[in-house]
Each structure stands twice: as C-alpha cells, then as structure tokens.
Amino acid sequence: MWRTLAVASAFFPGLFAFCVRALRWAAPGWSLKDRVLLSGRLVSTVQATMATVSGLTVVLSCEDVVHDRHWLAVEYVWVLVPYMTYDIYVMYLCHWHKSREKGIAERKHSLTSVRSFLLQERLMVTHHLFILIVLTPVTQHFRGELGDFFVGCIFTAELSTPFVSLGKILMQLKMQDTLLHKVNGILILVSFFLCRILLFPFMYAAYGRQVGIPVYMVPFRIPLHCNIANASLIAPQLYWFTLICRKAVRLYGSSPADKSR
C-alpha cells in the first residue's frame, strides 16, 4: 500500500512536469497554458490506459463475480488516490491559465481563484472527492473480501478517457474539422456509452447470473449502499453523456455552409 502510494504520488506529477518541459523544447512557440493543457491530457490518457488494463485483467480473471480475488482490485485503488488528488490540482492550474488568458486578473492560488475554480468545475471536483472520500474506504475496507470483479468493472470505465483527451488535443491543435476528429467523436460516444452507462446494467446482470436471479431482482438482493454508490456514479455519467451527444449533434449535424459562417 505505502509503496504504491509513494510511487504513484511521484509518478503522475513527475510525468506531468516532464511533459511540460518536453513540450517547451518540442514546441517553443507554445504558451505555458497550451503546454499545461496538453500535458494534463497526456497524463490522463496514461492513467486511463493503466486503469483500463488493470480493470480488464481483474474482470477476465474472476469467474465467480462475488468471491474471486485479484490483487490489482486492491492495489490499483492506491494508484487512483494520488492520481485523483494530482488531477484536481492540474484542473485548477488549467482553469487559472484559461482565466488569465481571458484577462481575468486573479492571483495564482488565491482564495478568489480557488473559489472560481470550484464553482466552474464543481461537478468534476465532486466526482473526484466522492471517489477519494467514499469509494476508496468502501473498496478497500467495507466490502471485505468480496466483489473484486465489480471493482475491476469500475476501472474499465476509464476506457473512454483517451478518446476524450484526444478530442480535446485535436481541438487544441485546431484540427476539429479533420476526419480524425470525427472518427474520434464516434469512438467517444461508443466507448462512453459502453463503459460508463451500460457498465452498470452489465454488473447487475453479472451478479444476477451468478446467483441465479433475474436482473430486475438484483437491486433488491444487494446491500442498499451498493445501489446508492452505483446511482451516485452513474448520475454524472448520464449528464456528461448528454453533453457529449449535444456536441456530436453539432459536429455531425451541421452542414459545411454552417461551419464556414
């Protein structure tokens, strides 16, 4: 546990700092804001890939979805804790640089800039804090030795993140009108829907199949806190998926004439 926490606490900030420095050499004409934004997205992609691989490893290794164990279901949570903490700070840095570019004169790390960040990114910050404060104790202590399969399923939700990050990178590089951006948009929709929306019915169906009951009976057989945790996780995903669908309508529904206006 402690070694994993220490390594992850050094790895993600270190990778972020390395990317910022490497971009200063590779793209000297870029502003610090652009380098910070791109570096944050690259680190998010690395973490999402690690989480997805870990999740798939756990899911494919657990035939009994209730009792089978896999060490990654426990160990990777200690990777997520420093990552989520790091990511909140990087989100703040990105917010501060964007505000500064817009001419908003807020001193870095001031109470005003922090309050502005928390107001603008309240949903994402709440999501991160929920994982840190609620899900971490649940997955590491309160569930006992049950449910590694479901923890692995939650890890696989990160599959959509590399596509989301790529979409933002393409927009940052002014490549939003390219075929790559459109194809990536489809991949975002599909991966987000499969791994962040259908994931929850899949977990309920897997449990129902394991214990031999219909899927609609599962919510009444599992502990109440499991249903509450799942509802708390899927609610923001549904909101974000709605936003993605709206962006997709604008991207694929607008005509060339509309885009040229």
Side-chain angles (χ1 to χ4, degrees), residues 147-210:
D148 282 15
F149 172 87
F150 301 108
V151 176
C153 287
I154 297 298
F155 291 164
T156 63
E158 288 292 321
L159 177 63
S160 63
T161 300
F163 303 113
V164 174
S165 295
L166 178 58
K168 292 179 178 179
I169 290 172
L170 292 173
M171 292 181 68
Q172 185 178 347
L173 297 175
K174 311 298 184 185
M175 298 176 63
Q176 59 266 38
D177 294 326
T178 63
L179 177 61
L180 176 59
H181 187 255
K182 291 184 177 181
V183 171
N184 185 68
I186 295 173
L187 293 175
I188 291 174
L189 277 171
V190 173
S191 61
F192 200 100
F193 182 69
L194 290 177
C195 296
R196 292 185 180 241
I197 307 298
L198 284 187
L199 174 70
F200 294 92
F202 168 76
M203 290 193 294
Y204 279 71
Y207 180 84
R209 186 169 58 250
Q210 178 73 44

Side-chain angles (χ1 to χ4, degrees), residues 90-109:
V90 169
M91 284 193 296
Y92 167 75
L93 284 182
C94 294
H95 167 80
W96 184 80
H97 281 288
K98 289 177 182 177
S99 299
R100 189 181 183 189
E101 190 174 71
K102 294 176 182 177
I104 301 175
E106 294 176 342
R107 190 164 54 86
K108 195 174 183 180
H109 301 140

Side-chain angles (χ1 to χ4, degrees), residues 18-176:
F18 171 79
C19 290
V20 172
R21 287 179 174 272
L23 286 171
R24 184 171 62 181
W25 172 80
W30 279 23
S31 65
L32 178 58
K33 184 210 78 170
D34 288 331
R35 287 187 276 126
V36 166
L37 289 175
L38 182 55
S39 298
R41 288 159 186 165
L42 291 174
V43 176
S44 293
T45 299
V46 170
Q47 188 284 136
T49 303
M50 292 167 58
T52 302
V53 172
S54 299
L56 288 174
T57 301
V58 174
V59 169
L60 295 175
S61 299
C62 296
E63 295 183 6
D64 186 322
V65 303
V66 178
H67 299 100
D68 280 359
R69 306 302 311 278
H70 195 285
W71 64 272
L72 274 172
V74 174
E75 202 67 21
Y76 196 77
V77 175
W78 299 124
V79 176
L80 283 177
V81 168
Y83 171 76
M84 290 296 171
T85 307
Y86 144 87
D87 199 44
I88 291 174
Y89 181 68
V90 169
M91 284 193 296
Y92 167 75
L93 284 182
C94 294
H95 167 80
W96 184 80
H97 281 288
K98 289 177 182 177
S99 299
R100 189 181 183 189
E101 190 174 71
K102 294 176 182 177
I104 301 175
E106 294 176 342
R107 190 164 54 86
K108 195 174 183 180
H109 301 140
S110 67
L111 185 60
T112 303
S113 66
V114 172
R115 185 187 298 115
S116 173
F117 161 68
L118 293 176
L119 286 173
Q120 183 170 325
E121 300 291 343
R122 55 186 176 274
L123 182 57
M124 187 65 77
V125 172
T126 301
H127 175 261
H128 280 41
L129 291 177
F130 180 79
I131 292 174
L132 288 171
I133 299 171
V134 179
L135 286 190
T136 298
V138 169
T139 56
Q140 299 299 71
H141 300 291
F142 298 131
R143 70 184 177 93
E145 297 185 352
L146 303 176
D148 282 15
F149 172 87
F150 301 108
V151 176
C153 287
I154 297 298
F155 291 164
T156 63
E158 288 292 321
L159 177 63
S160 63
T161 300
F163 303 113
V164 174
S165 295
L166 178 58
K168 292 179 178 179
I169 290 172
L170 292 173
M171 292 181 68
Q172 185 178 347
L173 297 175
K174 311 298 184 185
M175 298 176 63
Q176 59 266 38

Side-chain angles (χ1 to χ4, degrees), residues 189-244:
L189 277 171
V190 173
S191 61
F192 200 100
F193 182 69
L194 290 177
C195 296
R196 292 185 180 241
I197 307 298
L198 284 187
L199 174 70
F200 294 92
F202 168 76
M203 290 193 294
Y204 279 71
Y207 180 84
R209 186 169 58 250
Q210 178 73 44
V211 300
I213 62 174
V215 65
Y216 64 83
M217 290 295 297
V218 172
F220 305 102
R221 286 284 300 271
I222 64 177
L224 178 62
H225 65 265
C226 294
N227 289 315
I228 294 174
N230 286 332
S232 301
L233 284 173
I234 197 173
Q237 311 304 331
L238 291 171
Y239 172 73
W240 288 322
F241 186 67
T242 301
L243 296 182
I244 292 173

